Structures are given as structure tokens and as C-alpha cells.
Amino acid sequence: MSAVTHSAAIPIPDAAPLITVRNLSFRRGSRIIFENVDLAIPRGKITAIMGPSGTGKTTLLRLIGGQIRPDAGRIDVDGACVHELGRRELYQLRKRMSMLFQSGALFTDLSVYDNVAFPLREHTRLPESFIRTLTLMKLEAVGLRGARHLMPSELSGGMARRAALARAIALDPMMIMYDEPFSGQDPITMGVLVKLIRTLNDALGLTSIIVSHDVKETASIADYIYLISDGSVVDHGTPQALEHSRSGWVEQFLHALPDGPMSFHYPAPTYAHDLALAEGPALA
Amino acid sequence: MLESVRRLGRLALRFLQRLGKATLFLLGLLGALAALCKRPGLIVKQLYSLGVLSLPIIAMSGLFVGMVLGLQGYANLVDFGATSTLGTVVALSLVRELGPVLAALLYAARAGSALTAEIGLMKVTEQLACMQMMAVDPFARVFAPRFVAGFIAMPLLAGIFTAIGVLGGYFVAVKQLGVDSGAFWSQMQASVGLVDDVIKGVVIKSIAFGWVANWIAVFEGYDAIPTSEGISLATTRTVVNTALVVLALDFVLTAIFFGV
């Protein structure tokens, strides 16, 4: 694949971003996940990070959340360098950031109500009656007030994600990171989630980061998009600007074209060599 | 030859690496105890699932083991006309060895494997990562309560196993085989010492077994590879490693307390 990479000096889309990533490098063993990546997440906006499966989008969220440390570079969230924080400071920061996991990650031994009330019970000393009111408000926001007595195993995929979203906003965070919120959802649920993310972001004054490869849905609500592949930012801009990008890679990805710079085949020896039909150099 | 030495070295290194990781994990558990003291409800909940729900298998097994001891003891002692010592045989076997060891093995099979699978699945379904992202420490919220509850439950289960075992032995010896009830109990009372047998046997051993059984179970869940095969392997390792460590530890403790 011949990715169009120009990550070295990417301009920041807006002043005073909530998150800035500078010269980020991260490897797993010998495999490069990110190499000198720069990006900026503006406050109050929905920023999408898109790219093919396996390009490290979820890893980027985990790096921002401080669950893993970069090999080089710096990630600042609201002015604090995440990987330089002590455990106590990091946990304080995490109380203000939230993450919606791909699976929903609801606690399976707790009901929907208790899942949403969980962060409130853990981090506040509010009386139970107040927690109840707050929990019902969050559940009402995602349309699951009536499902509060259900257990996670009784929920559909979409309902589980909405319940997880209610839990994610329980502490009124400053930002939410969405890890593949639309994957595996039916069109109606997808539409509901798209609307919810946009509405919650605007109503609660959040900053949202959506990691996804569902182009249409994500582009419909994103204010800004970063496209990443092969360890670097391939392109970035508003959805409208990217629509008119001249990059072959961007065009292939956004329009789901089967042919383009992105190779269908995983790197391998030549087909003829593997079938023992030819001698000569093994690599394609 | 060289390859065998290399392989052995690799195995030893891997073992030491895991032991180091498990020790760090244990330190993490101990570090979370202070936070846990403020929330005893978390321990009580786990005591129910690890202790109370293990009672049926512990009670049934204790009963059968005691009954077998009664039968076997009677079959051997009757030739010497020493059936009056049957109470001593049953009680000492259970108090010193079978009670703590079998209760620990049963605990590992029933509760230890469940602990590993539960924690491993929490890892697979990102519940632990989610907890961390919510600024909730899984050590204080998930691992330590389970470890402490299991540690409390183990000696209690071993005690119950032993007591029911003695009753099983009594039932077979006295009710079925006609051993004198007074002799059964008085011999037992005269021969079984509180410190030398009960404390050094069922109490200390089950505390030690409870420590290692729960440490292994919780660590294996935490360290499980987050795939279905990984969980399966971790669960198997919990049962196998606990059995081996409990039996080895039993030998060491027996040598210390009862060795000549």
C-alpha cells in the first residue's frame, strides 16, 4: 500500500484543543502501530478517527486514556500529559473522561440500573435517593428507563450500547471516547446511536472522539475526521473537505472501493513461489 | 543435549517470570486491603458465592469421606479388637489431613475455577478495562474482595468438612456397625488435642491452603489470555496448580508440625 503520509507537521484544526498528540510512536514487539503521529481533538466537537481494521484506532483511545504508555511522544488531555501522571492524578483525570467500549462492557452481575449507578456509587457520597434520580435521568436520555431492571444478558446489542452510554455520561464527563459504537448494529439502532451521540455531545457540552470504520454514519455526525493507516495520519479535515480529497487512499476508504492503493492481500511471498511453480525471489 | 538444557532454562525462566508476576499481583492485592476495609459489603457478597454456595459439595463430600473412614477403620481395627479407637482414627485422619486437604481440593474445583473463569471473562468482555477507565481500581473492587472472601471461607469450609466427616464416621461406626457410642466419643476426646491436632491441623493448614488457592485462582483469571482458549487454559491451570501446591504445602506443614 502506498499510503499518503504527511503526519510530520499536521496543523491543529482549532485553537485550544482538549487533546493534543505530538510525535506519538507506539510499537507492539517489532510491529509499528504509530510512528510520529500528531493530532488534535478540539473541545466541544465530535472528532472521528477512522481507518481500516487493525490500524490501531482502539490502541489510540487506550493511549489517550492512559491504559498503555507510548514508546515516544506526548499525549496531553486538558493540559495534563497523560503518561506522566501518577496513579492518583490519572484516576482523577479519568473521572472526567469516559469511554464507550466496543462490547459495551456492562458489568454482567449488575442490572442496567446498577450499571448506570455504578460510577455514582463509586465516586460520590450522594444519598441513594439522589443517585436514583440521576440514574433515571441518564437512562431516560438513552431511552432505557423502562429497561432498568433488566440484566445485561437480556439486552440486545443496541440496548447494551445505549445502557453503556448512559453509564458513560453518569458522572457528566468532559469527553467521551467511543470505540466502534456502530459495529454490528442494525440500521435502526445505528440511526438511534448516531442521533444519541450528536444530541448528547451538544446538550451536555461534551467533546467526543469516535473511533470507527463505518464511514457514512460517522461522517454524518463528525465535525472533523482523522484518517489513519499504517501507523500514521493519512489525511484529516472536515467530512466535506475529505469528500474532495485527491488522495487515492482517502477516496478508496471513504467510498469503499475494492481497488486502490490499499492492498487486498496481506504481505506474502509470490503466489507462484508458494505454489512451487516458480523459482526466484520469494517476496512479491 | 544442549537443546534440552536450553529448553529447561527457558522453562525455569518462564516459571520465575510468572512467579514474579504473581508476587507483584499479590502485593497489589495486599495494597488494596485498606480500601476494602471501608467496604465490607463487597466481601460479604463474595463470601456468599465462594463460601455458602460451596457448602453442598463440601458437606456431601465430608459426609462420604467420614463414612468411608468409618468403614475402612472398622474393617482393619476389628481384627485387633480395637474398634473403640475408631473415633480417634476418623477424627485424627480428618483433622490433621483429609479435612483441610480435601476441602482445599474441592474448593479449587468448585470456587477456584469459577473465580478464574469469572475474572478471565471480565477481562475478555473489557469489564476490567472499563472499570479502570472509570477510575475504579479493579484490585480494590474485584480482585481483593474475592481473595479475602475466599481466604475467610476456606478455613470455615475445612472446619465444616471435618465436622461433618466425623459425624459420617460416627453414623457408620455407631449406628451401622455397632461400635459403642461412648467409646467412640471418649477415645476421640482423649486423643485429639486442640493445639497439636486441631490448630496445627485443620486451622493452620486450611489458612495456608486458602491463601494459595485463592491467590492462584484470582491471579490466573487476571493473567488469562483474553480468548476462549485462554480462559479454558487458565481455569485448568487453577485446578491443577492449586492441587499440586496444596499437596506439596501439606507435606511441608506436616513435616513441620507432625514430623519426628
Side-chain angles (χ1 to χ4, degrees):
Chain A
M1 193 193 78
S2 58
V4 185
T5 58
H6 47 85
S7 60
I10 287 172
I12 296 168
D14 251 347
L18 181 67
I19 299 168
T20 52
V21 176
R22 291 279 174 233
N23 300 318
L24 174 72
S25 294
F26 182 75
R27 290 164 186 258
R28 281 194 199 282
S30 59
R31 191 178 158 221
I32 296 169
I33 308 293
F34 296 116
E35 186 80 45
N36 288 324
V37 166
D38 291 271
L39 48 88
I41 310 291
R43 286 175 196 270
K45 307 280 186 194
I46 297 179
T47 304
I49 295 166
M50 302 173 79
S53 299
T55 47
K57 301 187 295 294
T58 302
T59 305
L60 183 60
L61 293 188
R62 295 186 66 196
L63 282 160
I64 293 171
Q67 286 192 303
I68 45 177
R69 296 171 64 87
D71 294 324
R74 184 183 171 93
I75 299 167
D76 289 281
V77 177
D78 201 26
C81 181
V82 175
H83 53 271
E84 286 177 2
L85 293 176
R87 184 188 153 85
R88 192 181 292 269
E89 292 82 33
L90 181 61
Y91 270 31
Q92 285 302 323
L93 179 66
R94 281 183 185 164
K95 286 180 192 173
R96 297 191 293 135
M97 55 207 289
S98 205
M99 184 161 170
L100 185 75
F101 284 80
Q102 190 171 354
S103 60
L106 291 172
F107 303 128
T108 45
D109 58 333
L110 302 179
S111 67
V112 168
Y113 176 89
D114 287 328
N115 261 286
V116 179
F118 182 87
L120 294 166
R121 287 177 177 149
E122 289 291 323
H123 294 307
T124 69
R125 290 174 182 273
L126 295 171
E128 198 54 39
S129 59
F130 202 70
I131 287 179
R132 183 177 185 276
T133 307
L134 283 174
T135 304
L136 292 181
M137 281 168 65
K138 305 298 174 188
L139 283 169
E140 175 70 13
V142 298
L144 288 181
R145 189 166 45 81
R148 61 183 181 269
H149 299 304
L150 297 180
M151 295 302 284
S153 58
E154 298 172 289
L155 302 178
S156 67
M159 285 168 80
R161 233 161 271 193
R162 279 153 63 195
L165 185 52
R167 186 179 62 182
I169 57 171
L171 287 175
D172 292 327
M174 63 177 175
M175 59 174 277
I176 301 186
M177 297 183 279
Y178 297 89
D179 186 9
E180 301 283 5
F182 313 121
S183 67
Q185 301 301 315
D186 63 75
I188 296 172
T189 308
M190 221 182 248
V192 168
L193 286 169
V194 165
K195 188 167 178 284
L196 257 179
I197 292 171
R198 183 78 251 181
T199 308
L200 287 175
N201 189 81
D202 296 344
L204 303 178
L206 298 168
T207 299
S208 302
I209 306 172
I210 302 177
V211 149
S212 178
H213 48 217
D214 292 293
V215 176
K216 196 174 140 229
E217 289 73 23
T218 309
S220 71
I221 50 168
D223 297 306
Y224 205 83
I225 297 175
Y226 282 94
L227 293 171
I228 59 172
S229 181
D230 273 3
S232 53
V233 176
V234 176
D235 208 343
H236 61 106
T238 60
Q240 297 74 23
L242 288 177
E243 269 294 316
H244 302 105
S245 170
R246 289 182 183 176
S247 158
W249 190 97
V250 174
E251 197 184 354
Q252 186 188 5
F253 183 78
L254 292 183
H255 300 288
L257 303 176
D259 284 327
M262 205 182 327
S263 172
F264 167 69
H265 290 284
Y266 193 82
T270 60
Y271 195 30
H273 182 89
D274 258 359
L275 297 179
L277 298 175
E279 291 183 1
L283 286 173
Chain B
M1 174 66 187
L2 201 63
E3 184 53 37
S4 304
V5 174
R6 203 174 289 154
R7 199 173 301 156
L8 199 67
R10 264 201 300 267
L11 279 175
L13 273 177
R14 203 176 304 157
F15 172 75
L16 287 174
Q17 211 170 23
R18 260 179 82 74
L19 191 64
K21 201 172 176 184
T23 307
L24 286 175
F25 178 79
L26 183 64
L27 292 176
L29 284 179
L30 298 178
L33 290 184
L36 194 59
C37 291
K38 296 173 194 162
R39 304 181 67 183
L42 292 175
I43 300 176
V44 173
K45 189 180 172 193
Q46 293 306 319
L47 261 175
Y48 174 77
S49 60
L50 296 174
V52 176
L53 295 183
S54 297
L55 270 177
I57 187 175
I58 290 288
M60 290 299 290
S61 306
L63 185 69
F64 287 127
V65 169
M67 287 162 67
V68 168
L69 278 175
L71 280 174
Q72 288 282 13
Y74 184 86
N76 285 287
L77 292 172
V78 73
D79 295 339
F80 306 102
T83 51
S84 58
T85 61
L86 194 54
T88 305
V89 171
V90 169
L92 282 182
S93 307
L94 283 164
V95 167
R96 284 186 173 194
E97 292 297 334
L98 295 178
V101 171
L102 288 182
L105 297 181
L106 289 167
Y107 177 86
R110 214 291 311 176
S113 57
L115 265 183
T116 303
E118 184 191 14
I119 294 173
L121 280 169
M122 287 181 84
K123 194 174 174 183
V124 173
T125 53
E126 298 178 305
Q127 292 178 52
L128 297 179
C130 177
M131 217 173 258
Q132 283 179 321
M133 281 306 297
M134 277 196 261
V136 175
D137 182 10
F139 274 87
R141 189 65 176 69
V142 177
F143 307 141
R146 283 161 175 78
F147 176 75
V148 172
F151 181 61
I152 295 170
M154 184 65 241
L156 297 176
L157 291 172
I160 291 167
F161 181 98
T162 305
I164 292 179
V166 169
L167 289 177
Y170 169 81
F171 176 76
V172 167
V174 176
K175 300 292 180 191
Q176 300 295 312
L177 301 172
V179 173
D180 181 62
S181 173
F184 184 90
W185 291 118
S186 64
Q187 286 281 339
M188 187 190 299
Q189 198 177 6
S191 311
V192 180
L194 178 66
V195 175
D196 285 342
D197 299 311
V198 178
I199 303 287
K200 286 181 178 174
V202 72
V203 175
I204 292 182
K205 280 188 174 179
S206 61
I207 286 174
F209 298 162
W211 182 275
V212 293
N214 287 291
W215 178 20
I216 290 172
V218 178
F219 173 71
E220 288 293 354
Y222 163 80
D223 198 43
I225 298 167
T227 60
S228 47
E229 193 191 7
I231 305 294
S232 152
L233 283 172
T235 313
T236 306
R237 272 202 307 268
T238 290
V239 178
V240 172
N241 291 349
T242 305
L244 290 175
V245 173
V246 161
L247 292 172
L249 196 59
D250 183 47
F251 170 74
V252 173
L253 291 174
T254 303
I256 293 170
F257 293 140
F258 306 107
V260 263

